[in-house]
Amino acid sequence: CNVNQAEGSPLNGSHLDMLHQSPLCMGITHQVGNAFFVTDGANGHVVRYDFREPHCPGCADHSDGEVSRYPELNFTRVPDIPSHLFLDGNNLYYADTGTGRIQVADMSTGNVAGQLQSETEPLAVFNRYSGVNVRTFADGLESPSGLLVTSERVFVSLPTTGEIVAFDLEGQEIQRINTGAPGVMG
């Protein structure tokens, strides 16, 4: 992390790439290659980013970036509590922290519903999706944050209570573990 950090360098430090469409990003999960899904806290929905080929360290060409917004995959941001995501095959689990729900979206569904215009940077793709099948996996949770999906269970952290909740794959609660430490988010 020391590339292009010298005082007066015309480059922007050592970052490899960035896109600027999700201020207050509250969570992230990897899809494939340089593609990720995030929970966009400023706009209250899920966004997919594909950075394609990273630019040189400190450079600023983002024109190959692809951004897809999913406004129907909405969530309510709670300040200082991440709303994590977890991609399991085509199923994107995400924490709707403000409403106390875990949602699951089938990312193999839906279609491009329109093109968007970026005001901050040129992009190869900037579009909006609609028609994605989404369902509530669990609700009535106290500010869910962290998510982990295994072949048999879904684990959710509740930072306000310090609990980790285990669910079966149908969304039935199996067990709660009280960590005794409110603030657990991951």
Coordinates of all heavy atoms in Angstrom, one line a residue, residues 11 20 28 31 33 45-46 48 50 64 84 87 91 101 107 121 134 144 146 151 159 161 168 170 178 180 185:
L11 N -1.0 11.0 -9.0 CA -2.0 9.8 -8.9 C -2.6 9.8 -7.5 O -2.2 10.5 -6.6 CB -1.2 8.5 -9.2 CG -0.6 8.5 -10.6 CD1 0.2 7.2 -10.8 CD2 -1.7 8.6 -11.6
H20 N -18.2 5.2 -7.9 CA -18.7 6.2 -6.9 C -20.2 6.3 -6.9 O -20.8 7.4 -6.8 CB -18.1 7.5 -7.2 CG -16.6 7.5 -7.2 ND1 -15.8 7.3 -8.3 CD2 -15.8 7.7 -6.2 CE1 -14.6 7.4 -8.0 NE2 -14.5 7.6 -6.7
I28 N -21.2 -5.8 1.7 CA -20.7 -6.2 0.5 C -20.6 -7.7 0.5 O -20.3 -8.4 1.5 CB -19.3 -5.5 0.2 CG1 -18.8 -5.8 -1.2 CG2 -18.3 -6.0 1.2 CD1 -17.7 -4.9 -1.7
Q31 N -19.4 -11.7 -5.9 CA -20.1 -12.6 -6.9 C -19.1 -13.4 -7.6 O -19.0 -14.6 -7.4 CB -21.0 -11.8 -7.8 CG -21.8 -12.7 -8.7 CD -22.6 -11.9 -9.7 OE1 -22.2 -10.8 -10.2 NE2 -23.7 -12.5 -10.1
G33 N -15.2 -12.9 -10.2 CA -14.2 -12.0 -10.8 C -14.1 -10.7 -9.9 O -13.8 -10.7 -8.7
H45 N -31.1 0.5 -1.4 CA -31.4 -0.8 -2.1 C -30.0 -1.4 -2.5 O -29.0 -0.9 -2.3 CB -32.2 -0.5 -3.4 CG -31.7 0.5 -4.3 ND1 -32.2 1.8 -4.4 CD2 -30.7 0.4 -5.2 CE1 -31.5 2.4 -5.3 NE2 -30.6 1.6 -5.8
V46 N -30.2 -2.6 -3.1 CA -29.0 -3.4 -3.5 C -28.5 -2.9 -4.8 O -29.3 -2.5 -5.7 CB -29.4 -4.9 -3.5 CG1 -28.2 -5.7 -4.2 CG2 -29.7 -5.4 -2.2
R48 N -25.3 -3.9 -7.8 CA -24.2 -4.7 -8.3 C -23.1 -3.9 -9.0 O -23.5 -3.1 -9.8 CB -24.7 -5.8 -9.3 CG -23.6 -6.7 -9.7 CD -24.2 -7.7 -10.8 NE -23.2 -8.6 -11.2 CZ -22.3 -8.4 -12.2 NH1 -22.4 -7.3 -13.0 NH2 -21.4 -9.4 -12.6
D50 N -19.4 -4.2 -11.1 CA -18.4 -5.0 -11.7 C -17.3 -4.1 -12.2 O -17.5 -3.2 -13.0 CB -18.9 -5.8 -12.9 CG -17.9 -6.8 -13.4 OD1 -16.7 -6.7 -13.2 OD2 -18.4 -7.8 -14.1
D64 N -14.8 1.5 -17.7 CA -15.2 0.1 -18.0 C -16.1 -0.5 -16.9 O -16.6 -1.6 -17.0 CB -14.0 -0.8 -18.2 CG -13.2 -1.0 -16.9 OD1 -13.3 -0.2 -16.0 OD2 -12.4 -2.0 -16.8
H84 N -25.3 -6.5 6.0 CA -24.5 -7.4 5.2 C -25.3 -8.2 4.2 O -26.5 -8.3 4.3 CB -23.7 -8.4 6.1 CG -22.6 -7.7 6.9 ND1 -21.5 -7.2 6.2 CD2 -22.4 -7.5 8.2 CE1 -20.7 -6.7 7.1 NE2 -21.2 -6.8 8.3
L87 N -24.0 -14.2 -0.9 CA -24.5 -14.8 -2.1 C -24.3 -16.3 -2.1 O -23.1 -16.7 -1.9 CB -23.8 -14.2 -3.3 CG -24.3 -14.6 -4.7 CD1 -25.7 -14.2 -4.9 CD2 -23.4 -14.0 -5.8
N91 N -29.0 -17.2 -5.0 CA -29.8 -16.6 -3.9 C -28.9 -15.5 -3.1 O -27.9 -15.9 -2.6 CB -30.2 -17.6 -2.9 CG -31.3 -18.5 -3.4 OD1 -32.2 -18.0 -4.1 ND2 -31.2 -19.8 -3.2
R101 N -35.6 -7.6 9.1 CA -35.8 -8.8 8.2 C -34.6 -9.2 7.5 O -33.6 -8.4 7.3 CB -36.8 -8.4 7.1 CG -38.2 -8.0 7.6 CD -39.1 -7.8 6.4 NE -38.6 -6.6 5.6 CZ -39.2 -6.1 4.6 NH1 -40.4 -6.5 4.3 NH2 -38.7 -5.1 4.0
M107 N -31.3 -13.9 -7.9 CA -30.7 -13.1 -8.9 C -30.7 -13.6 -10.3 O -30.2 -13.0 -11.2 CB -29.2 -12.8 -8.4 CG -29.2 -12.1 -7.0 SD -30.3 -10.7 -6.8 CE -29.5 -9.5 -7.8
E121 N -19.1 9.9 -13.0 CA -18.1 9.3 -13.7 C -18.6 8.6 -14.9 O -19.8 8.2 -14.9 CB -17.4 8.2 -12.8 CG -18.3 7.1 -12.3 CD -17.8 6.4 -11.1 OE1 -16.6 6.4 -10.9 OE2 -18.6 5.8 -10.4
V134 N -38.1 -11.8 -4.8 CA -37.6 -11.6 -3.5 C -38.6 -12.0 -2.5 O -39.8 -11.9 -2.7 CB -37.2 -10.1 -3.3 CG1 -38.4 -9.2 -3.3 CG2 -36.4 -9.9 -2.0
P144 N -30.9 -6.9 12.4 CA -30.0 -7.9 11.9 C -28.8 -7.2 11.1 O -29.0 -6.2 10.4 CB -30.9 -8.7 11.0 CG -32.0 -7.8 10.6 CD -32.2 -6.9 11.8
G146 N -24.9 -9.1 10.5 CA -24.0 -10.1 9.8 C -24.8 -11.3 9.3 O -25.8 -11.7 9.9
S151 N -24.2 -24.9 4.1 CA -25.0 -25.9 3.4 C -26.2 -26.3 4.2 O -27.2 -26.9 3.7 CB -24.2 -27.2 3.0 OG -23.7 -27.8 4.2
P159 N -26.5 -7.0 16.5 CA -25.5 -6.2 17.3 C -26.2 -5.5 18.5 O -25.5 -5.3 19.5 CB -25.0 -5.2 16.3 CG -25.9 -5.2 15.2 CD -26.6 -6.6 15.1
T161 N -28.4 -6.7 20.5 CA -28.6 -7.6 21.6 C -27.4 -8.5 21.9 O -27.3 -9.1 23.0 CB -29.8 -8.6 21.4 OG1 -29.5 -9.4 20.3 CG2 -31.1 -7.8 21.1
D168 N -32.6 -22.7 10.1 CA -32.5 -23.8 9.0 C -32.7 -23.1 7.7 O -33.0 -21.9 7.6 CB -33.5 -24.9 9.3 CG -34.9 -24.6 9.1 OD1 -35.3 -23.5 8.5 OD2 -35.8 -25.4 9.6
E170 N -35.0 -23.1 5.7 CA -36.4 -22.6 5.4 C -36.8 -21.4 6.2 O -37.9 -20.9 6.1 CB -37.4 -23.8 5.7 CG -37.5 -24.8 4.6 CD -36.3 -25.7 4.5 OE1 -35.8 -26.2 5.5 OE2 -35.7 -25.8 3.4
N178 N -26.2 -16.1 22.9 CA -26.0 -14.8 23.5 C -24.5 -14.7 23.7 O -23.9 -15.4 24.6 CB -26.7 -14.6 24.8 CG -26.7 -13.1 25.3 OD1 -25.8 -12.4 24.9 ND2 -27.6 -12.8 26.1
G180 N -23.0 -12.1 24.9 CA -22.8 -11.3 26.1 C -22.1 -10.0 25.7 O -21.6 -9.2 26.6
M185 N -21.3 -7.7 14.8 CA -21.9 -7.4 13.5 C -21.5 -8.4 12.4 O -22.2 -8.5 11.4 CB -21.4 -6.0 13.1 CG -22.0 -4.9 14.0 SD -21.6 -3.3 13.3 CE -21.5 -2.4 14.9

